[in-house]
Amino acid sequence: MEEDEGDNKPKTLEFVNAASHQAKLKELLRNLTSTQSKLCSDASKEFIKILKSDSGPQFLTFYIQSSPKCVELQQAWELRQGKPGFSDCLKLVSAIFRYPFGKDSDKDVSNYSFVSSALDKFARVITEGKMGDLYEELNSKDAKRQKAVLLLLAS
């Protein structure tokens, strides 16, 4: 009986985690696409913090499954480009690209392939359509903005 309970517990935890991931993701994405720079900045930082946590792989997988084209990140980019808080948006995109998804702890190859493919497509969108934005940030006098672009390009 104890083994059955142990088998049921992870499924219950997965459901609870999925529900909490969904709620948290919804909040973060709403704030990322907010016109208020403080909300966007805080959401970017919190998203990065979650990626660094133990639930990072599940959270990133859930986000990519919810939005394979990363539409919210693109919207945040457009809203923040050239404005305060854009460096936080760039740091978030960089953190997502640098994320070690599937390299050590993740054994689900199908999820890894899906997430990797979606992120590759998003990276292609940035390199093909957003390089002008990155050049503009690199040419700024603000070291914080320059550093964010360099981190993104390195990822």
Side-chain angles (χ1 to χ4, degrees):
M1 261 337 232
E2 289 178 26
E3 289 181 57
D4 290 340
E5 288 175 11
D7 289 341
N8 289 335
K9 189 174 182 180
K11 290 178 185 175
T12 303
L13 287 176
E14 284 180 25
F15 178 74
V16 170
N17 283 340
S20 67
H21 286 335
Q22 184 178 15
K24 189 59 166 175
L25 182 62
K26 191 174 186 177
E27 174 192 348
L28 290 176
L29 295 178
R30 183 185 66 240
N31 290 345
L32 271 175
T33 56
S34 170
T35 56
Q36 297 177 8
S37 64
K38 176 76 170 132
L39 284 177
C40 183
S41 177
D42 290 346
S44 296
K45 291 173 185 174
E46 190 168 355
F47 202 121
I48 292 168
K49 191 180 199 181
I50 292 170
L51 287 177
K52 291 179 180 180
S53 74
D54 290 341
S55 62
Q58 295 88 9
F59 194 78
L60 182 58
T61 300
F62 189 76
Y63 172 59
I64 297 300
Q65 287 173 341
S66 302
S67 182
K69 293 184 180 182
C70 304
V71 174
E72 298 82 6
L73 292 176
Q74 292 180 47
Q75 288 174 344
W77 183 297
E78 295 298 323
L79 285 169
R80 295 282 122 226
Q81 197 276 321
K83 298 176 184 165
F86 187 51
S87 61
D88 292 317
C89 180
L90 294 178
K91 288 176 187 175
L92 172 58
V93 173
S94 174
I96 289 172
F97 286 155
R98 284 184 286 118
Y99 194 75
F101 190 87
K103 292 184 180 166
D104 291 323
S105 62
D106 187 41
K107 295 176 178 69
D108 188 352
V109 176
S110 63
N111 271 343
Y112 171 71
S113 296
F114 176 74
V115 170
S116 179
S117 175
L119 292 177
D120 285 347
K121 289 175 185 173
F122 181 51
R124 194 170 303 114
V125 166
I126 289 174
T127 56
E128 292 175 355
K130 308 288 188 188
M131 289 304 287
D133 298 345
L134 298 178
Y135 288 136
E136 188 177 315
E137 293 297 302
L138 276 174
N139 289 328
S140 74
K141 303 285 186 205
D142 186 3
K144 180 180 177 182
R145 291 168 59 187
Q146 293 171 340
K147 181 180 176 183
V149 171
L150 293 174
L151 279 173
L152 177 59
L153 291 174
S155 61

